Amino acid sequence: MMPNVSFDAYNDEQVRLMEEMCILVDEKDKKIGADTKKNCHMMENINKGLLHRAFSVFLFNSENKLLLQQRSDDKITFPSLWTNTCCSHPLNTPLELDEDGQIGVRRAAQRKLQHELGIKPQQVPIDNFVFLTRIHYLAPSDGIWGEHEIDYVLIIRADVDLELNPNEVKAIEYLSLEDLTLKFKNPSDWKFTPWFKLISEKFLFTWWQDLDNIKAKKDEKIHKLG
């Protein structure tokens, strides 16, 4: 029996999105089923081992600045926190279940960049996403909600036009490597999502210094972090 939570206090659109079907995986990232976004993000289920597939996009412009977003106050998990360009989930659909060259995840990334940030698909072609690695992490958001994901890390370099979806995104900023380094040194300035901090501390700053050679950084491991 799945836990019962009242959604009365939450935004209607965010509640609707909680019915999307995520891909359940084992610790080797093998698909073992599907469940709602709601059930995948409840700490009661996470504490029993429920694990799902996700992705994190890092979009750099032609000046090598990283596009960050501040999550909307309406988000049910990790509201108002700053994070990488886009973080979400491939869904349990034929197009996004396709694992050949991570194409299902890359399709999901293109879909969500448009949904959250209004970036047109032609500005972020599927083939331009570079898959680098996967991380496995667990992070509580509050007493009810959290994340337990195998997260595909994708990098793309593009100059894009933005039209923010206010239900998803509160604000955006392009930061240089030096800018973000200073933000991390002054944690009272901005509050970051746990997955963004984990990826940044383990990988991002090294990758950022060698974006022209980024494909060489790819690995097939699943890094258990946190």
Coordinates of all heavy atoms in Angstrom, one line a residue, residues 113-152:
L113 N 14.0 20.9 -21.3 CA 14.6 22.2 -21.5 C 13.5 23.2 -22.1 O 13.5 24.3 -21.8 CB 15.8 22.1 -22.4 CG 17.1 21.6 -21.7 CD1 18.2 21.3 -22.8 CD2 17.6 22.6 -20.7
Q114 N 12.7 22.6 -23.0 CA 11.6 23.4 -23.6 C 10.6 23.7 -22.5 O 10.1 24.8 -22.4 CB 11.0 22.7 -24.8 CG 10.0 23.5 -25.5 CD 9.6 23.0 -26.8 OE1 9.6 21.8 -27.1 NE2 9.1 23.9 -27.7
H115 N 10.2 22.7 -21.8 CA 9.1 22.9 -20.8 C 9.5 23.9 -19.7 O 8.7 24.7 -19.3 CB 8.8 21.5 -20.1 CG 7.8 21.6 -19.0 ND1 8.0 21.0 -17.8 CD2 6.6 22.2 -18.9 CE1 7.0 21.2 -17.0 NE2 6.1 22.0 -17.6
E116 N 10.7 23.8 -19.2 CA 11.1 24.6 -18.1 C 11.6 26.0 -18.5 O 11.3 27.0 -17.9 CB 12.2 23.9 -17.2 CG 11.7 22.7 -16.5 CD 12.7 22.1 -15.6 OE1 13.8 22.7 -15.4 OE2 12.4 21.0 -15.0
L117 N 12.4 26.0 -19.6 CA 13.1 27.2 -19.9 C 12.7 27.8 -21.3 O 13.2 28.8 -21.7 CB 14.6 26.9 -19.9 CG 15.2 26.6 -18.5 CD1 16.5 25.8 -18.7 CD2 15.4 27.8 -17.7
G118 N 11.8 27.1 -22.0 CA 11.3 27.6 -23.3 C 12.4 27.5 -24.4 O 12.3 28.2 -25.4
I119 N 13.4 26.6 -24.2 CA 14.4 26.5 -25.2 C 13.9 25.6 -26.3 O 13.5 24.4 -26.1 CB 15.7 25.9 -24.6 CG1 16.2 26.8 -23.5 CG2 16.8 25.6 -25.7 CD1 17.4 26.2 -22.7
K120 N 13.9 26.1 -27.5 CA 13.4 25.4 -28.7 C 14.3 24.2 -29.0 O 15.5 24.3 -29.0 CB 13.2 26.3 -29.9 CG 12.1 27.3 -29.7 CD 11.9 28.2 -30.9 CE 10.7 29.1 -30.8 NZ 10.6 29.9 -29.6
P121 N 13.7 23.0 -29.4 CA 14.4 21.8 -29.6 C 15.5 22.0 -30.7 O 16.6 21.4 -30.5 CB 13.4 20.8 -30.1 CG 12.1 21.3 -29.4 CD 12.2 22.8 -29.4
Q122 N 15.3 22.8 -31.7 CA 16.3 23.0 -32.7 C 17.6 23.7 -32.2 O 18.6 23.7 -32.8 CB 15.7 23.8 -33.9 CG 15.2 25.1 -33.6 CD 13.6 25.1 -33.4 OE1 13.1 24.1 -32.9 NE2 12.9 26.1 -33.9
Q123 N 17.4 24.4 -31.1 CA 18.6 25.1 -30.5 C 19.5 24.1 -29.6 O 20.6 24.4 -29.3 CB 18.2 26.3 -29.6 CG 17.6 27.4 -30.4 CD 17.4 28.6 -29.6 OE1 17.0 28.6 -28.4 NE2 17.5 29.8 -30.2
V124 N 18.9 22.9 -29.3 CA 19.6 21.9 -28.5 C 19.3 20.5 -29.1 O 18.6 19.7 -28.6 CB 19.1 21.9 -27.0 CG1 19.7 23.1 -26.3 CG2 17.6 22.0 -26.9
P125 N 19.9 20.3 -30.3 CA 19.7 19.0 -31.0 C 20.1 17.8 -30.1 O 21.1 17.9 -29.4 CB 20.6 19.1 -32.2 CG 20.8 20.6 -32.4 CD 20.8 21.2 -31.1
I126 N 19.3 16.8 -30.3 CA 19.6 15.5 -29.5 C 21.0 15.1 -29.6 O 21.7 14.7 -28.6 CB 18.7 14.4 -30.0 CG1 17.2 14.7 -29.8 CG2 19.1 13.1 -29.4 CD1 16.6 14.4 -28.5
D127 N 21.6 15.2 -30.8 CA 23.0 14.7 -31.0 C 24.0 15.6 -30.3 O 25.2 15.2 -30.3 CB 23.3 14.5 -32.5 CG 22.5 13.4 -33.1 OD1 22.0 12.5 -32.4 OD2 22.4 13.4 -34.3
N128 N 23.7 16.7 -29.9 CA 24.6 17.7 -29.3 C 24.8 17.5 -27.8 O 25.7 18.0 -27.2 CB 24.3 19.1 -29.6 CG 24.5 19.5 -31.1 OD1 24.7 18.6 -31.9 ND2 24.4 20.8 -31.4
F129 N 23.9 16.7 -27.2 CA 24.1 16.4 -25.8 C 25.2 15.4 -25.6 O 25.3 14.3 -26.3 CB 22.8 15.8 -25.2 CG 21.7 16.8 -25.0 CD1 20.7 16.9 -26.0 CD2 21.6 17.6 -23.9 CE1 19.7 17.8 -25.9 CE2 20.6 18.5 -23.7 CZ 19.6 18.6 -24.7
V130 N 26.2 15.7 -24.7 CA 27.3 14.8 -24.4 C 27.0 14.1 -23.1 O 27.0 14.8 -22.1 CB 28.6 15.5 -24.4 CG1 29.8 14.6 -24.1 CG2 28.9 16.2 -25.8
F131 N 26.9 12.8 -23.1 CA 26.8 12.0 -21.9 C 28.1 11.8 -21.3 O 29.1 11.4 -22.0 CB 26.1 10.7 -22.1 CG 26.2 9.7 -21.0 CD1 25.6 9.9 -19.8 CD2 27.1 8.6 -21.1 CE1 25.7 9.0 -18.8 CE2 27.3 7.7 -20.1 CZ 26.6 7.9 -18.9
L132 N 28.3 12.1 -20.0 CA 29.6 12.0 -19.3 C 29.7 10.9 -18.3 O 30.6 10.2 -18.3 CB 29.9 13.4 -18.7 CG 30.3 14.5 -19.7 CD1 30.6 15.8 -18.9 CD2 31.6 14.0 -20.5
T133 N 28.7 10.8 -17.4 CA 28.7 9.8 -16.4 C 27.4 9.7 -15.7 O 26.4 10.4 -16.1 CB 29.8 10.1 -15.4 OG1 30.1 8.9 -14.6 CG2 29.5 11.3 -14.5
R134 N 27.3 8.8 -14.7 CA 26.1 8.6 -13.9 C 26.5 8.7 -12.4 O 27.5 8.2 -12.0 CB 25.4 7.3 -14.2 CG 24.7 7.2 -15.5 CD 24.3 5.7 -15.8 NE 25.5 4.9 -16.1 CZ 25.4 3.6 -16.3 NH1 24.3 3.0 -16.4 NH2 26.6 2.9 -16.5
I135 N 25.6 9.3 -11.7 CA 25.8 9.3 -10.2 C 24.6 8.7 -9.5 O 23.4 8.8 -10.0 CB 26.1 10.7 -9.6 CG1 24.8 11.6 -9.7 CG2 27.2 11.4 -10.3 CD1 24.9 12.9 -8.8
H136 N 24.8 8.0 -8.4 CA 23.8 7.4 -7.6 C 23.8 8.1 -6.3 O 24.8 8.1 -5.6 CB 24.0 5.9 -7.5 CG 23.1 5.2 -6.6 ND1 23.2 3.9 -6.2 CD2 22.0 5.6 -5.9 CE1 22.2 3.5 -5.4 NE2 21.5 4.5 -5.2
Y137 N 22.7 8.8 -5.9 CA 22.7 9.5 -4.7 C 21.3 9.5 -4.1 O 20.3 9.2 -4.7 CB 23.2 11.0 -4.9 CG 22.1 11.8 -5.5 CD1 21.2 12.6 -4.7 CD2 21.9 11.8 -6.9 CE1 20.2 13.4 -5.3 CE2 20.9 12.5 -7.5 CZ 20.0 13.3 -6.7 OH 19.0 14.0 -7.3
L138 N 21.3 9.8 -2.8 CA 20.0 9.9 -2.0 C 20.1 11.2 -1.2 O 21.1 11.5 -0.6 CB 19.9 8.7 -1.0 CG 18.6 8.5 -0.3 CD1 18.4 7.1 0.1 CD2 18.4 9.4 0.9
A139 N 19.0 12.0 -1.3 CA 19.0 13.3 -0.6 C 17.5 13.6 -0.2 O 16.6 13.7 -1.0 CB 19.5 14.4 -1.6
P140 N 17.3 13.8 1.1 CA 16.0 14.2 1.6 C 15.8 15.7 1.3 O 16.7 16.5 1.4 CB 16.0 13.9 3.1 CG 17.5 13.9 3.4 CD 18.2 13.5 2.2
S141 N 14.5 16.0 0.9 CA 14.2 17.4 0.8 C 13.6 18.0 2.0 O 13.9 19.1 2.5 CB 13.2 17.6 -0.4 OG 12.7 18.9 -0.5
D142 N 12.7 17.2 2.6 CA 12.1 17.5 3.9 C 11.6 16.2 4.6 O 12.1 15.2 4.2 CB 10.9 18.5 3.8 CG 9.8 18.0 2.8 OD1 9.7 16.7 2.6 OD2 9.1 18.8 2.3
G143 N 10.7 16.2 5.5 CA 10.3 15.0 6.2 C 9.5 14.1 5.3 O 9.4 12.9 5.5
I144 N 9.0 14.6 4.2 CA 8.1 13.8 3.3 C 8.8 13.4 2.0 O 8.7 12.3 1.6 CB 6.8 14.6 3.0 CG1 6.0 14.9 4.3 CG2 5.9 13.8 2.1 CD1 4.8 15.8 4.1
W145 N 9.4 14.4 1.4 CA 9.9 14.2 0.0 C 11.4 14.1 0.0 O 12.1 14.6 0.9 CB 9.5 15.4 -0.8 CG 8.0 15.6 -0.8 CD1 7.3 16.6 -0.1 CD2 7.0 14.9 -1.5 NE1 6.0 16.5 -0.3 CE2 5.7 15.4 -1.1 CE3 7.0 13.7 -2.3 CZ2 4.5 14.9 -1.6 CZ3 5.8 13.2 -2.8 CH2 4.6 13.8 -2.5
G146 N 11.9 13.6 -1.1 CA 13.4 13.5 -1.3 C 13.7 13.0 -2.7 O 12.8 12.8 -3.6
E147 N 15.0 12.7 -3.0 CA 15.4 12.1 -4.2 C 16.3 10.9 -3.9 O 17.0 10.8 -3.0 CB 16.3 13.1 -5.0 CG 15.6 14.3 -5.6 CD 14.8 13.9 -6.8 OE1 14.6 12.7 -7.2 OE2 14.3 14.9 -7.5
H148 N 16.1 9.8 -4.8 CA 17.0 8.7 -4.8 C 17.1 8.3 -6.2 O 16.1 7.7 -6.8 CB 16.4 7.5 -3.9 CG 17.4 6.4 -3.7 ND1 16.9 5.1 -3.5 CD2 18.7 6.3 -3.8 CE1 18.0 4.3 -3.4 NE2 19.1 5.0 -3.6
E149 N 18.2 8.6 -6.9 CA 18.3 8.6 -8.3 C 19.6 8.0 -8.8 O 20.6 8.1 -8.1 CB 18.2 10.0 -8.9 CG 16.9 10.7 -8.6 CD 16.9 12.1 -9.2 OE1 18.0 12.8 -9.3 OE2 15.8 12.6 -9.4
I150 N 19.5 7.4 -10.0 CA 20.7 7.2 -10.8 C 20.6 8.3 -11.9 O 19.7 8.3 -12.7 CB 20.8 5.8 -11.4 CG1 21.2 4.9 -10.3 CG2 21.9 5.8 -12.5 CD1 21.4 3.5 -10.7
D151 N 21.5 9.3 -11.8 CA 21.4 10.6 -12.5 C 22.4 10.6 -13.6 O 23.6 10.5 -13.4 CB 21.6 11.7 -11.5 CG 21.3 13.1 -12.0 OD1 20.6 13.2 -13.0 OD2 21.8 14.1 -11.5
Y152 N 21.9 10.7 -14.9 CA 22.7 10.8 -16.1 C 23.2 12.3 -16.2 O 22.3 13.2 -16.2 CB 22.0 10.4 -17.3 CG 21.8 9.0 -17.5 CD1 21.0 8.2 -16.6 CD2 22.3 8.3 -18.6 CE1 20.8 6.9 -16.8 CE2 22.0 7.0 -18.8 CZ 21.3 6.2 -17.9 OH 21.1 4.9 -18.1

